[in-house]
Amino acid sequence: MKEADVQQEPSYLGAPYGLASWLLTKDHKRIAILYLISITIFFAIGGSFAAMIRAELVTPQGDFLTADLYNKVFTLHGVVMIFFFLIPSIPATLGNFFMPIMIGAKDLAFPRINLLSWYIYVVGATLTLAAVIMGGVDTGWTFYTPYSSISSTTNVTTAALGVFITGFSSILTGFNFIVTVHRMRAPGMTWFRMPLFVWANYATSLVMILGTPVIAITVLLIAAERALHLGVFDPRIGGDPVLFQHLFWFYSHPAVYIMILPGMGVISELVANVSRKQIFGYSFVAFSSLAIAIIGFLVWGHHMFVTGQSIYAGLVFSIITMLVAVPSAVKTFNWTATMYKGAVVWDSPLFWVLGFMGLFLIGGLTGLFLGAMGLDIHLHDTYFVVAHFHYIMVGGGVMAFLGGLHFYWPKMTGRMYSEPLAKVASMLVFFGFNLTFFPQFIVGYMGMPRRYHSYPAEFQVFNVLSTAGATVLGAGYLMILLYLVYSIVKGPKAPMNPWGATGLEWKIQSPPITHNFHETPVVTEEAYDYLHAPAPTREVTHHE
Amino acid sequence: MSSGHHVPTIGMCVRVWLALLVLTGFTIFIASQDLGVLNTPVALLVAITKATLVIVFFMGVKWNTPLTKTVAVSGFVWLLILFFMGMNDYLTRGWLGVAGR
Ligand SMILES: [Cu+2]
């Protein structure tokens, strides 16, 4: 096949060599790798905070961490995982790498701005790490006033500035993606031929540029309030602490969609591939991404049912919250319909897809519990909430990220990992995750509040189960890290299209050349044309 | 932007600039007048007019593509969402009573 001559070209990984060539690169693929390394480091840091939380909660007494230290640990777990891992996770790595390739472009519209966004991310993240070293911050990742503005004596300002700066990195990424989708599509790549991963990243980018300025200004106001006593949030001088929650959740609810929409995009790619079928209701899935992005901006008050927010506003927010479940359900049903009567193959991507669908379903349905005002009075600030958002953000977001990482790993690195190990790891992650977080639904429903280092003894059994699950989950993650790194060193060379997938990214060599394509591709087929897709070539890999 | 073939003429720029100066003068004038409840709305109206002039003419949105116009408008629409849904709380706090509150 012509693959043989194509493979002789030096890939983006090796041309040119040297650290400086990586740190000054304008290649979207190399920037994606820089992001991948950075978010992996932050995932490890955030994960070690989680380990400390779970270790403390093995016993009902607060014996491992003091109350103050525990406050700092769960705050930093949240800040690191949300702002420095989950938000950039899929868009800045898989999105950065594959979005341009999927639409037939040589790079993003603004390669230098893409590199700048990574540097801004590093500066913001470093500032937040500085806050950790200086003694931490203890407000919770939500920085609620008046605690963050007038009471806390920890490094709120430094951490808030770190979040503020990192915000610009996601604004720049979103802006870059939007311009790229509008201006850089190859001839024949019409909007409705774009892979759903591109649609999902496009919708995510809209949320990034419309929402992130609000959180940036809000955390800046916290810093200003602390330094200058402006009185924006301080009721003693005319401010309103609830205003902070309005501004914060105006961004932070849509931010959940920044974390989950790209994951839904990944799952659409994987579902089509494992079913070897066109996605059922392609345009519904595409538009549901946009619907989620837009309706997601109208529901933020469901985080504020037990504040001073008016009951009437609560009703409105509650009803719209039920509505936002509709486009998510559209996606879930369409994926299921895609798999129905599909030629489902038991490759490792299927494991991540099924894991995602199960966990996201539980996460989504428990979200409806919390969106119902009366029930939320009981469940607010309990472990039920903690379990719910971990099912969405870890069960959904991280499963999809790992699924995408496994699916695209051969293309990104040019190496294959061990398929049996991947299946074992995906099941470890799935069972470990459920063991960690399912007991939290029960213990939360029984009334265990979040954010305390001690708890009544009758809750212990659930917490021990949870910590045991977290250990399995951690082992699963560690295993993935090990065999993926090992595959770079010793893994067999990946063929051009190991999964027999459709899409431009599978028609170029693995790993791609710096400019992705030898000549600009002309697109003549619809997305997911699995009737004409090549057969998987993973089995005939040559060991070298 | 590459797609904007028309550019504002010098004359038009000068006229917009003069309009901005007049509006600035008006801002200073009404700052010294007590209009009662109208103080803030009038000041906001003048400020919005000035911002609109800058965006439409100086920033060239008038001559740009529909996409650019959509982007310019949607930024403000999203700000309105924040205000509208926020005020949907602040202005309705007395509407429905809660036992014990
Ligand atoms: Cu929410």
Side-chain angles (χ1 to χ4, degrees), chain A residues 240 243 246 297 300 310 312, chain B residues 78 85 88-90 92 101:
Chain A
D240 178 14
L243 176 64
H246 275 302
F297 273 101
W300 79 81
S310 86
Y312 171 76
Chain B
W78 251 252
M85 297 296 279
N88 191 43
D89 165 26
Y90 283 101
T92 63
R101 195 188 272 173

Side-chain angles (χ1 to χ4, degrees), chain A residues 249 252-254 256-257 299-300 302-303 321 388:
Chain A
W249 289 112
S252 293
H253 181 81
V256 176
Y257 299 120
V299 301
W300 79 81
H302 61 211
H303 297 268
T321 300
H388 155 70

Side-chain angles (χ1 to χ4, degrees), chain A residues 213-278:
Chain A
V214 177
I215 188 76
I217 291 164
T218 309
V219 293
L220 202 60
L221 279 173
I222 289 281
E225 180 104 347
R226 285 176 74 87
L228 310 167
H229 309 285
L230 289 182
V232 180
F233 304 123
D234 184 353
R236 286 175 307 185
I237 38 181
D240 178 14
V242 176
L243 176 64
F244 174 83
Q245 296 190 27
H246 275 302
L247 296 173
F248 180 83
W249 289 112
F250 180 81
Y251 165 78
S252 293
H253 181 81
V256 176
Y257 299 120
I258 297 180
M259 302 175 224
I260 197 70
L261 270 172
M264 292 168 153
V266 166
I267 295 302
S268 297
E269 301 299 312
L270 268 58
V271 163
N273 181 258
V274 296
S275 315
R276 305 206 65 77
K277 265 175 74 185
Q278 156 78 277

